[in-house]
Structures are given as structure tokens and as C-alpha cells.
Coordinates of all heavy atoms in Angstrom, one line a residue:
C656 N 10.8 170.1 -126.4 CA 10.1 169.2 -125.5 C 11.2 168.7 -124.4 O 12.2 168.3 -124.8 CB 9.5 168.0 -126.2 SG 8.7 166.8 -125.1
K657 N 10.8 168.9 -123.2 CA 11.7 168.5 -122.1 C 11.0 167.4 -121.3 O 10.0 167.6 -120.7 CB 12.0 169.7 -121.2 CG 12.9 170.7 -121.9 CD 13.2 171.8 -120.9 CE 14.0 172.9 -121.6 NZ 14.3 174.0 -120.7
M658 N 11.5 166.2 -121.4 CA 11.0 165.1 -120.6 C 12.0 164.7 -119.5 O 13.2 164.9 -119.6 CB 10.8 163.8 -121.5 CG 9.8 164.0 -122.6 SD 8.2 163.9 -121.9 CE 7.2 164.1 -123.4
P659 N 11.4 164.2 -118.4 CA 12.3 163.8 -117.3 C 13.2 162.6 -117.8 O 12.8 161.9 -118.7 CB 11.4 163.3 -116.2 CG 10.0 163.9 -116.6 CD 10.0 164.1 -118.0
N660 N 14.4 162.5 -117.3 CA 15.3 161.5 -117.7 C 14.7 160.1 -117.5 O 15.1 159.2 -118.3 CB 16.7 161.6 -116.9 CG 17.4 162.8 -117.3 OD1 17.2 163.4 -118.4 ND2 18.3 163.3 -116.4
D661 N 13.9 159.9 -116.5 CA 13.3 158.6 -116.2 C 11.9 158.4 -116.8 O 11.1 157.6 -116.3 CB 13.4 158.3 -114.7 CG 12.5 159.3 -113.9 OD1 12.1 160.3 -114.5 OD2 12.2 159.0 -112.7
I662 N 11.5 159.2 -117.8 CA 10.2 159.1 -118.3 C 9.7 157.7 -118.7 O 8.6 157.3 -118.5 CB 10.0 160.1 -119.5 CG1 8.5 160.3 -119.9 CG2 10.8 159.7 -120.7 CD1 7.7 161.0 -118.9
A663 N 10.6 156.9 -119.2 CA 10.3 155.5 -119.6 C 9.8 154.7 -118.4 O 9.1 153.7 -118.6 CB 11.5 154.9 -120.3
E664 N 10.2 155.0 -117.2 CA 9.8 154.3 -116.0 C 8.5 154.8 -115.4 O 8.0 154.2 -114.4 CB 10.9 154.2 -115.0 CG 12.1 153.3 -115.4 CD 13.1 154.0 -116.3 OE1 13.5 155.2 -116.0 OE2 13.5 153.4 -117.3
R665 N 8.1 155.9 -115.9 CA 6.9 156.6 -115.2 C 5.6 156.2 -115.9 O 5.6 155.7 -117.0 CB 7.1 158.1 -115.3 CG 8.2 158.7 -114.6 CD 8.2 160.2 -114.6 NE 9.4 160.7 -113.9 CZ 9.3 161.9 -113.3 NH1 8.2 162.6 -113.3 NH2 10.4 162.4 -112.8
E666 N 4.5 156.4 -115.2 CA 3.2 156.3 -115.7 C 2.8 157.7 -116.2 O 2.9 158.7 -115.5 CB 2.2 155.9 -114.7 CG 0.8 155.6 -115.2 CD -0.1 155.0 -114.2 OE1 0.4 154.5 -113.2 OE2 -1.3 155.0 -114.5
V667 N 2.4 157.8 -117.5 CA 2.1 159.0 -118.1 C 0.6 159.1 -118.4 O 0.0 158.2 -118.9 CB 2.9 159.2 -119.5 CG1 2.4 160.5 -120.2 CG2 4.4 159.3 -119.2
I668 N 0.0 160.2 -118.0 CA -1.4 160.5 -118.2 C -1.6 161.6 -119.2 O -1.1 162.7 -118.9 CB -2.2 160.8 -116.9 CG1 -2.0 159.6 -115.9 CG2 -3.7 161.0 -117.2 CD1 -2.5 159.9 -114.5
I669 N -2.2 161.4 -120.3 CA -2.4 162.4 -121.3 C -3.8 163.0 -121.1 O -4.8 162.2 -121.1 CB -2.3 161.8 -122.7 CG1 -0.8 161.3 -122.9 CG2 -2.6 162.9 -123.8 CD1 -0.6 160.6 -124.2
L670 N -3.9 164.3 -120.9 CA -5.2 164.9 -120.6 C -5.6 165.8 -121.8 O -4.8 166.5 -122.4 CB -5.1 165.8 -119.4 CG -4.6 165.1 -118.1 CD1 -4.3 166.2 -117.0 CD2 -5.5 164.1 -117.6
D671 N -6.9 165.7 -122.2 CA -7.4 166.5 -123.3 C -8.9 166.6 -123.0 O -9.6 165.6 -122.7 CB -7.2 165.8 -124.6 CG -7.4 166.8 -125.8 OD1 -7.8 167.9 -125.6 OD2 -7.1 166.3 -126.9
P672 N -9.5 167.8 -123.1 CA -10.9 167.9 -122.8 C -11.8 167.0 -123.7 O -12.8 166.5 -123.2 CB -11.2 169.4 -123.1 CG -9.9 170.1 -123.2 CD -8.9 169.1 -123.5
M673 N -11.5 166.9 -125.0 CA -12.4 166.2 -125.9 C -11.6 165.2 -126.8 O -10.5 165.4 -127.2 CB -13.1 167.1 -126.8 CG -14.0 168.1 -126.1 SD -15.0 169.1 -127.1 CE -13.8 170.0 -128.0
L674 N -12.2 164.1 -127.0 CA -11.7 163.0 -127.9 C -12.7 162.9 -129.0 O -13.7 162.3 -128.9 CB -11.5 161.7 -127.2 CG -11.1 160.5 -128.0 CD1 -9.7 160.7 -128.7 CD2 -11.0 159.3 -127.1
A675 N -12.4 163.5 -130.2 CA -13.4 163.5 -131.3 C -13.0 162.5 -132.3 O -13.5 161.3 -132.2 CB -13.4 164.9 -131.9
T676 N -12.1 162.8 -133.2 CA -11.7 161.8 -134.3 C -10.6 160.8 -133.8 O -10.5 159.7 -134.3 CB -11.1 162.5 -135.5 OG1 -9.9 163.2 -135.2 CG2 -12.1 163.5 -136.1
G677 N -9.9 161.2 -132.8 CA -8.8 160.4 -132.2 C -7.5 160.6 -132.9 O -6.5 160.1 -132.4
G678 N -7.4 161.5 -133.9 CA -6.1 161.7 -134.6 C -5.1 162.4 -133.7 O -4.0 161.9 -133.6
S679 N -5.5 163.5 -133.0 CA -4.5 164.2 -132.1 C -4.1 163.3 -130.9 O -3.0 163.3 -130.5 CB -5.1 165.5 -131.6 OG -5.4 166.3 -132.7
A680 N -5.1 162.6 -130.4 CA -4.8 161.7 -129.2 C -3.8 160.6 -129.6 O -2.8 160.3 -128.9 CB -6.1 161.1 -128.7
S681 N -4.1 160.0 -130.8 CA -3.2 158.9 -131.3 C -1.8 159.5 -131.5 O -0.8 158.8 -131.2 CB -3.7 158.3 -132.5 OG -4.9 157.6 -132.3
A682 N -1.7 160.7 -132.1 CA -0.4 161.3 -132.3 C 0.3 161.6 -131.0 O 1.6 161.4 -130.9 CB -0.5 162.5 -133.2
A683 N -0.4 162.1 -130.0 CA 0.2 162.4 -128.7 C 0.7 161.1 -128.0 O 1.8 161.1 -127.4 CB -0.8 163.1 -127.8
I684 N -0.1 160.1 -128.1 CA 0.3 158.8 -127.5 C 1.6 158.3 -128.2 O 2.5 157.9 -127.5 CB -0.8 157.8 -127.6 CG1 -2.0 158.2 -126.7 CG2 -0.3 156.4 -127.3 CD1 -3.3 157.5 -127.0
Q685 N 1.7 158.4 -129.5 CA 2.8 157.9 -130.2 C 4.1 158.7 -129.9 O 5.2 158.2 -129.7 CB 2.6 157.9 -131.7 CG 3.8 157.3 -132.5 CD 4.0 155.9 -132.1 OE1 3.1 155.0 -132.1 NE2 5.3 155.6 -131.6
F686 N 3.9 160.0 -129.7 CA 5.0 160.9 -129.3 C 5.5 160.5 -128.0 O 6.8 160.4 -127.8 CB 4.4 162.4 -129.2 CG 5.5 163.4 -128.9 CD1 6.3 163.9 -129.8 CD2 5.7 163.8 -127.5 CE1 7.3 164.9 -129.6 CE2 6.7 164.7 -127.2 CZ 7.5 165.3 -128.2
I687 N 4.7 160.1 -127.0 CA 5.1 159.7 -125.7 C 5.8 158.3 -125.8 O 6.8 158.0 -125.2 CB 4.0 159.7 -124.7 CG1 3.4 161.1 -124.5 CG2 4.4 159.0 -123.4 CD1 4.4 162.1 -123.9
K688 N 5.2 157.4 -126.6 CA 5.8 156.1 -126.8 C 7.2 156.2 -127.4 O 8.0 155.3 -127.2 CB 4.9 155.2 -127.7 CG 3.7 154.7 -127.0 CD 2.9 153.8 -127.9 CE 1.7 153.1 -127.1 NZ 1.0 152.2 -128.0
N689 N 7.5 157.2 -128.2 CA 8.8 157.4 -128.8 C 9.9 157.6 -127.7 O 11.1 157.4 -128.0 CB 8.8 158.6 -129.8 CG 8.0 158.3 -131.0 OD1 7.7 157.1 -131.3 ND2 7.7 159.3 -131.8
Y690 N 9.5 157.8 -126.5 CA 10.4 157.9 -125.4 C 10.4 156.6 -124.6 O 10.9 156.6 -123.5 CB 10.0 159.1 -124.4 CG 10.3 160.4 -125.0 CD1 9.4 161.1 -125.8 CD2 11.5 161.1 -124.7 CE1 9.6 162.4 -126.3 CE2 11.8 162.3 -125.3 CZ 10.9 163.0 -126.0 OH 11.1 164.2 -126.6
D691 N 9.9 155.6 -125.2 CA 9.9 154.2 -124.6 C 9.0 154.1 -123.4 O 9.2 153.2 -122.5 CB 11.3 153.7 -124.3 CG 12.2 153.5 -125.5 OD1 11.6 153.1 -126.6 OD2 13.4 153.9 -125.5
V692 N 8.0 155.0 -123.3 CA 7.1 154.9 -122.2 C 6.1 153.7 -122.4 O 5.6 153.5 -123.5 CB 6.3 156.2 -122.0 CG1 5.2 156.1 -121.0 CG2 7.2 157.3 -121.7
K693 N 5.9 152.9 -121.4 CA 5.0 151.7 -121.6 C 3.7 151.8 -120.9 O 2.8 151.1 -121.2 CB 5.8 150.5 -121.0 CG 7.1 150.2 -121.6 CD 7.0 149.8 -123.1 CE 8.4 149.4 -123.6 NZ 8.6 150.0 -124.9
H694 N 3.6 152.7 -119.9 CA 2.4 152.9 -119.1 C 1.8 154.2 -119.4 O 2.2 155.2 -118.8 CB 2.7 152.7 -117.6 CG 3.4 151.4 -117.3 ND1 2.7 150.2 -117.3 CD2 4.7 151.1 -117.1 CE1 3.5 149.2 -117.1 NE2 4.8 149.7 -116.9
I695 N 0.8 154.2 -120.3 CA 0.1 155.5 -120.7 C -1.4 155.3 -120.5 O -2.0 154.3 -120.8 CB 0.4 155.8 -122.2 CG1 1.9 155.9 -122.4 CG2 -0.3 157.0 -122.6 CD1 2.3 155.9 -123.9
K696 N -2.0 156.4 -120.0 CA -3.4 156.5 -119.9 C -3.9 157.8 -120.6 O -3.2 158.8 -120.6 CB -3.9 156.6 -118.4 CG -3.6 155.3 -117.6 CD -4.0 155.5 -116.2 CE -4.0 154.3 -115.3 NZ -3.3 153.3 -115.2
L697 N -5.1 157.7 -121.2 CA -5.7 158.9 -121.9 C -6.9 159.2 -121.1 O -7.8 158.4 -120.8 CB -6.0 158.5 -123.3 CG -6.8 159.6 -124.1 CD1 -5.9 160.9 -124.3 CD2 -7.2 159.1 -125.5
M698 N -7.1 160.5 -120.7 CA -8.2 161.0 -119.9 C -8.9 162.2 -120.7 O -8.2 163.1 -121.0 CB -7.8 161.4 -118.5 CG -7.2 160.2 -117.7 SD -6.9 160.7 -116.0 CE -8.5 160.6 -115.3
N699 N -10.2 162.0 -120.9 CA -11.0 163.1 -121.6 C -12.2 163.3 -120.8 O -12.8 162.5 -120.1 CB -11.3 162.6 -123.0 CG -10.1 162.2 -123.8 OD1 -9.9 161.0 -123.8 ND2 -9.4 163.1 -124.4
I700 N -12.8 164.5 -121.0 CA -14.1 164.9 -120.4 C -15.2 164.3 -121.2 O -16.1 163.6 -120.7 CB -14.2 166.4 -120.2 CG1 -13.2 167.0 -119.3 CG2 -15.6 166.7 -119.7 CD1 -13.1 168.5 -119.3
I701 N -15.1 164.5 -122.5 CA -16.2 164.0 -123.4 C -15.5 163.4 -124.6 O -14.4 163.8 -125.0 CB -17.1 165.2 -123.8 CG1 -18.3 164.7 -124.5 CG2 -16.3 166.2 -124.6 CD1 -19.4 165.8 -124.6
A702 N -16.2 162.4 -125.2 CA -15.6 161.7 -126.3 C -16.7 161.2 -127.3 O -17.9 161.2 -126.9 CB -14.9 160.4 -125.9
A703 N -16.3 161.0 -128.5 CA -17.2 160.4 -129.5 C -16.8 159.0 -129.8 O -15.6 158.7 -129.6 CB -17.2 161.2 -130.8
P704 N -17.7 158.1 -130.1 CA -17.3 156.7 -130.4 C -16.2 156.5 -131.4 O -15.4 155.7 -131.3 CB -18.6 156.0 -130.8 CG -19.7 156.9 -130.3 CD -19.1 158.3 -130.2
E705 N -16.2 157.4 -132.4 CA -15.2 157.4 -133.5 C -13.8 157.6 -132.9 O -12.9 156.9 -133.3 CB -15.5 158.4 -134.5 CG -16.8 158.2 -135.3 CD -18.0 158.9 -134.7 OE1 -18.0 159.2 -133.5 OE2 -18.9 159.2 -135.4
G706 N -13.6 158.5 -132.0 CA -12.3 158.8 -131.4 C -11.9 157.6 -130.5 O -10.7 157.2 -130.6
I707 N -12.8 157.1 -129.8 CA -12.4 156.0 -128.9 C -12.0 154.8 -129.8 O -11.0 154.1 -129.5 CB -13.7 155.6 -128.0 CG1 -14.0 156.7 -127.0 CG2 -13.4 154.2 -127.3 CD1 -15.3 156.5 -126.3
K708 N -12.7 154.5 -130.8 CA -12.4 153.4 -131.7 C -11.0 153.6 -132.3 O -10.2 152.7 -132.4 CB -13.4 153.3 -132.8 CG -13.2 152.1 -133.8 CD -14.2 152.1 -134.8 CE -13.9 151.0 -135.8 NZ -14.7 151.0 -137.0
K709 N -10.7 154.8 -132.8 CA -9.4 155.1 -133.4 C -8.2 154.8 -132.4 O -7.3 154.2 -132.8 CB -9.4 156.5 -133.9 CG -8.0 157.1 -134.3 CD -7.7 156.7 -135.7 CE -6.4 157.4 -136.1 NZ -6.1 157.3 -137.5
V710 N -8.4 155.3 -131.2 CA -7.3 155.2 -130.2 C -7.2 153.7 -129.8 O -6.1 153.2 -129.7 CB -7.6 156.0 -129.0 CG1 -6.6 155.7 -127.9 CG2 -7.5 157.5 -129.3
Q711 N -8.3 153.0 -129.7 CA -8.2 151.6 -129.4 C -7.6 150.8 -130.5 O -6.8 149.8 -130.2 CB -9.6 151.0 -129.1 CG -10.2 151.5 -127.8 CD -11.6 151.0 -127.5 OE1 -12.4 150.8 -128.5 NE2 -12.0 150.9 -126.3
E712 N -7.8 151.2 -131.7 CA -7.2 150.5 -132.9 C -5.7 150.8 -133.0 O -4.9 149.9 -133.3 CB -7.9 150.9 -134.2 CG -9.3 150.3 -134.3 CD -10.0 150.8 -135.6 OE1 -9.5 151.7 -136.2 OE2 -11.1 150.3 -135.8
T713 N -5.3 152.0 -132.8 CA -3.9 152.4 -133.0 C -3.1 152.1 -131.7 O -1.8 151.9 -131.9 CB -3.8 153.9 -133.4 OG1 -4.4 154.7 -132.4 CG2 -4.4 154.1 -134.8
H714 N -3.7 152.1 -130.6 CA -2.9 152.0 -129.3 C -3.7 151.1 -128.3 O -4.2 151.6 -127.3 CB -2.6 153.3 -128.7 CG -1.8 154.2 -129.6 ND1 -0.4 154.0 -129.8 CD2 -2.1 155.3 -130.3 CE1 0.0 154.9 -130.6 NE2 -1.0 155.7 -130.9
P715 N -3.9 149.8 -128.6 CA -4.7 149.0 -127.8 C -4.2 148.8 -126.4 O -5.0 148.4 -125.5 CB -4.8 147.6 -128.5 CG -3.6 147.7 -129.4 CD -3.3 149.1 -129.8
D716 N -3.0 149.2 -126.1 CA -2.4 149.0 -124.8 C -2.7 150.2 -123.9 O -2.3 150.2 -122.7 CB -0.9 148.8 -124.9 CG -0.2 150.0 -125.7 OD1 -0.8 150.4 -126.7 OD2 0.9 150.4 -125.4
V717 N -3.3 151.3 -124.4 CA -3.6 152.5 -123.7 C -5.0 152.5 -123.1 O -6.0 152.3 -123.9 CB -3.3 153.7 -124.5 CG1 -3.8 155.0 -123.8 CG2 -1.9 153.8 -125.0
D718 N -5.1 152.6 -121.8 CA -6.5 152.7 -121.2 C -7.0 154.1 -121.4 O -6.3 155.1 -121.3 CB -6.4 152.5 -119.7 CG -6.0 151.0 -119.4 OD1 -6.4 150.1 -120.2 OD2 -5.3 150.8 -118.4
I719 N -8.3 154.2 -121.8 CA -9.0 155.4 -122.0 C -10.1 155.7 -120.9 O -10.9 154.8 -120.6 CB -9.7 155.4 -123.4 CG1 -8.7 155.1 -124.5 CG2 -10.4 156.8 -123.7 CD1 -9.4 154.8 -125.8
F720 N -10.1 156.9 -120.3 CA -11.0 157.2 -119.3 C -11.8 158.5 -119.8 O -11.1 159.5 -120.1 CB -10.3 157.5 -118.0 CG -9.6 156.3 -117.4 CD1 -8.3 156.1 -117.8 CD2 -10.2 155.5 -116.5 CE1 -7.6 155.0 -117.3 CE2 -9.6 154.4 -116.0 CZ -8.3 154.1 -116.4
V721 N -13.1 158.4 -119.8 CA -13.9 159.6 -120.2 C -15.1 159.7 -119.3 O -15.6 158.7 -118.8 CB -14.4 159.5 -121.7 CG1 -13.3 159.4 -122.7 CG2 -15.3 158.3 -121.9
A722 N -15.5 161.0 -119.1 CA -16.6 161.2 -118.2 C -17.9 161.0 -118.9 O -18.9 160.5 -118.3 CB -16.6 162.7 -117.7
A723 N -18.0 161.3 -120.2 CA -19.2 161.1 -121.0 C -18.9 160.7 -122.5 O -17.9 161.3 -123.0 CB -20.1 162.3 -120.9
V724 N -19.7 159.9 -123.1 CA -19.6 159.6 -124.5 C -20.8 160.1 -125.2 O -21.9 159.6 -124.9 CB -19.4 158.1 -124.7 CG1 -19.3 157.8 -126.2 CG2 -18.2 157.5 -124.0
D725 N -20.6 161.0 -126.1 CA -21.8 161.5 -126.9 C -22.0 160.6 -128.1 O -21.1 159.8 -128.5 CB -21.5 163.0 -127.3 CG -21.9 164.0 -126.2 OD1 -22.4 163.5 -125.2 OD2 -21.7 165.2 -126.5
P726 N -23.1 160.7 -128.8 CA -23.5 159.8 -129.9 C -22.6 159.7 -131.1 O -22.3 158.6 -131.6 CB -24.9 160.2 -130.3 CG -25.4 161.0 -129.2 CD -24.2 161.6 -128.5
C727 N -22.1 160.8 -131.6 CA -21.4 160.8 -132.9 C -20.7 162.1 -133.2 O -20.7 163.0 -132.4 CB -22.3 160.5 -134.0 SG -23.6 161.8 -134.2
L728 N -20.0 162.1 -134.3 CA -19.4 163.3 -134.9 C -20.3 163.9 -136.0 O -20.9 163.1 -136.7 CB -18.0 163.1 -135.4 CG -16.9 162.6 -134.5 CD1 -15.7 162.2 -135.2 CD2 -16.7 163.6 -133.4
N729 N -20.3 165.2 -136.2 CA -21.0 165.7 -137.3 C -20.1 165.8 -138.6 O -19.0 165.4 -138.5 CB -21.7 167.1 -137.0 CG -20.7 168.2 -136.8 OD1 -19.5 168.1 -137.1 ND2 -21.2 169.3 -136.2
E730 N -20.6 166.4 -139.6 CA -19.8 166.5 -140.9 C -18.5 167.4 -140.7 O -17.6 167.3 -141.6 CB -20.7 167.1 -142.0 CG -21.2 168.5 -141.8 CD -22.5 168.6 -141.0 OE1 -23.0 167.5 -140.5 OE2 -22.9 169.7 -140.8
H731 N -18.4 168.2 -139.7 CA -17.2 169.0 -139.4 C -16.3 168.3 -138.4 O -15.4 168.9 -137.9 CB -17.6 170.4 -138.9 CG -18.5 171.1 -139.8 ND1 -18.1 171.6 -141.0 CD2 -19.8 171.4 -139.8 CE1 -19.1 172.2 -141.7 NE2 -20.2 172.1 -140.9
A732 N -16.6 167.1 -138.0 CA -15.9 166.3 -137.0 C -16.0 166.9 -135.6 O -15.1 166.8 -134.8 CB -14.4 166.1 -137.4
Y733 N -17.1 167.5 -135.3 CA -17.4 168.0 -134.0 C -18.2 167.0 -133.3 O -19.1 166.4 -133.9 CB -18.1 169.4 -134.0 CG -17.3 170.6 -134.4 CD1 -17.9 171.8 -134.6 CD2 -15.9 170.5 -134.6 CE1 -17.2 172.9 -135.0 CE2 -15.2 171.6 -135.0 CZ -15.8 172.8 -135.2 OH -15.1 173.9 -135.5
I734 N -18.0 166.8 -132.0 CA -18.8 165.9 -131.2 C -20.2 166.5 -131.1 O -20.4 167.6 -130.8 CB -18.2 165.7 -129.8 CG1 -16.8 165.2 -129.9 CG2 -19.1 164.8 -128.9 CD1 -16.0 165.1 -128.6
V735 N -21.2 165.6 -131.3 CA -22.6 165.9 -131.2 C -23.3 165.2 -130.0 O -23.2 164.0 -129.9 CB -23.3 165.6 -132.5 CG1 -24.8 165.9 -132.5 CG2 -22.7 166.3 -133.7
P736 N -24.0 165.9 -129.1 CA -24.2 167.3 -129.1 C -22.9 168.1 -128.7 O -22.8 169.3 -129.0 CB -25.4 167.6 -128.2 CG -25.3 166.4 -127.3 CD -24.8 165.2 -128.1
G737 N -22.1 167.5 -127.9 CA -20.8 168.1 -127.6 C -20.9 169.4 -126.7 O -22.0 169.6 -126.1
L738 N -19.9 170.2 -126.7 CA -19.9 171.4 -125.9 C -19.2 172.5 -126.7 O -18.8 173.5 -126.1 CB -19.2 171.2 -124.6 CG -17.8 170.5 -124.6 CD1 -16.7 171.5 -124.8 CD2 -17.7 169.8 -123.3
G739 N -19.1 172.4 -128.0 CA -18.4 173.4 -128.8 C -16.9 173.2 -128.8 O -16.5 172.1 -128.4
D740 N -16.2 174.1 -129.3 CA -14.7 174.0 -129.4 C -14.1 174.3 -128.0 O -14.2 175.4 -127.5 CB -14.2 175.0 -130.4 CG -12.7 174.8 -130.7 OD1 -11.9 175.2 -129.8 OD2 -12.4 174.2 -131.7
A741 N -13.4 173.3 -127.4 CA -12.9 173.5 -126.1 C -11.8 174.6 -126.1 O -11.8 175.4 -125.1 CB -12.2 172.2 -125.6
G742 N -11.0 174.7 -127.1 CA -10.0 175.8 -127.2 C -10.6 177.1 -127.2 O -10.2 178.1 -126.5
D743 N -11.7 177.3 -128.0 CA -12.4 178.6 -128.0 C -13.0 178.9 -126.6 O -13.0 180.1 -126.2 CB -13.5 178.6 -129.1 CG -13.0 178.6 -130.5 OD1 -11.8 179.0 -130.7 OD2 -13.7 178.2 -131.4
R744 N -13.5 177.9 -126.0 CA -14.1 178.2 -124.7 C -13.1 178.5 -123.6 O -13.3 179.4 -122.8 CB -14.9 176.9 -124.2 CG -16.2 176.7 -125.0 CD -17.0 175.6 -124.3 NE -18.2 175.4 -125.0 CZ -19.3 176.1 -124.8 NH1 -19.3 177.1 -123.9 NH2 -20.4 175.8 -125.5
I745 N -11.9 177.8 -123.6 CA -10.9 178.1 -122.7 C -10.2 179.5 -122.9 O -10.0 180.2 -121.9 CB -9.8 177.0 -122.7 CG1 -10.4 175.7 -122.2 CG2 -8.6 177.3 -121.9 CD1 -9.6 174.4 -122.5
F746 N -10.0 179.8 -124.2 CA -9.2 181.0 -124.5 C -10.0 182.1 -125.0 O -9.5 183.2 -125.3 CB -8.1 180.7 -125.5 CG -7.1 179.6 -125.0 CD1 -7.2 178.3 -125.5 CD2 -6.2 179.9 -124.0 CE1 -6.3 177.4 -125.0 CE2 -5.4 178.9 -123.5 CZ -5.4 177.7 -124.0
G747 N -11.4 182.0 -125.0 CA -12.3 183.0 -125.4 C -12.0 183.5 -126.9 O -12.2 184.7 -127.1
T748 N -11.7 182.6 -127.8 CA -11.3 183.1 -129.1 C -12.5 183.1 -130.0 O -12.4 183.5 -131.2 CB -10.2 182.2 -129.7 OG1 -10.6 180.8 -129.6 CG2 -8.9 182.4 -129.0
K749 N -13.7 182.7 -129.6 CA -14.9 182.7 -130.4 C -16.1 183.2 -129.6 O -16.1 182.9 -128.4 CB -15.3 181.4 -131.1 CG -14.6 181.2 -132.4 CD -15.3 180.1 -133.1 CE -14.6 179.9 -134.5 NZ -15.2 178.8 -135.2

């Protein structure tokens, strides 16, 4: 990982198509915080309430911006109705 020398003084925006459980987003935020970054924003296209709640609980200082919030996660932790797996859609793997 290569971060700019002045990363701690910058505003960092973490982008991810979907916020489902919040686990990956919380880990990414913590990774950035390990560089002493204080100004972090999370931006997603679609989110589930469970993911928003997780990020708010683990990182209450991070603002979350989403275009749409779907009702819930299913038993496989997929956003419902969602849009399928973003990685599969982007990379054509399914």
C-alpha cells in the first residue's frame, strides 16, 4: 500500500458500490485511520440498513453517503432487492 506522505492531513473518500453487512467498509475505514487520517467519508451506490448501522456503530465519526437504501439483507447477506454481486457485474465473472 502506498499512501501520500501527507495522508493524515487529507480528506479521504472511500468508494464502494454496495454497503451490505458493513464488515468490509468498517475494515477499510480502520485501515485508513491507522494512517492517522481524521477526515473520512464513505460513499456507496446502494446500502442495507444493517451495513449502515455497523459503520455508524464502529466509526461514528465517518459520514456515509448512499444513493439508495434497500430494505434488508437476505440469509446470504445480499442486499434485497439489491442488484446482484457488484464484482460479478463489473468483471463478468458470473
Side-chain angles (χ1 to χ4, degrees):
C656 177
K657 295 181 181 181
M658 294 288 180
N660 293 335
D661 64 345
I662 190 70
E664 287 84 46
R665 294 185 184 211
E666 184 170 348
V667 174
I668 302 171
I669 298 172
L670 306 172
D671 196 357
M673 297 186 298
L674 175 60
T676 66
S679 296
S681 291
I684 292 165
Q685 187 57 58
F686 184 85
I687 297 300
K688 283 184 174 182
N689 290 343
Y690 287 90
D691 296 323
V692 175
K693 304 291 185 226
H694 304 285
I695 302 170
K696 293 179 172 35
L697 175 64
M698 299 184 78
N699 308 95
I700 297 170
I701 191 168
E705 295 91 334
I707 294 170
K708 180 180 177 192
K709 168 85 173 187
V710 172
Q711 287 176 331
E712 288 174 352
T713 57
H714 301 287
D716 57 320
V717 173
D718 292 326
I719 304 168
F720 298 87
V721 298
V724 179
D725 275 359
C727 63
L728 297 176
N729 67 14
E730 64 276 1
H731 302 288
Y733 288 172
I734 300 171
V735 176
L738 49 86
D740 186 284
D743 289 340
R744 289 188 179 275
I745 292 168
F746 300 108
T748 52
K749 272 196 179 176

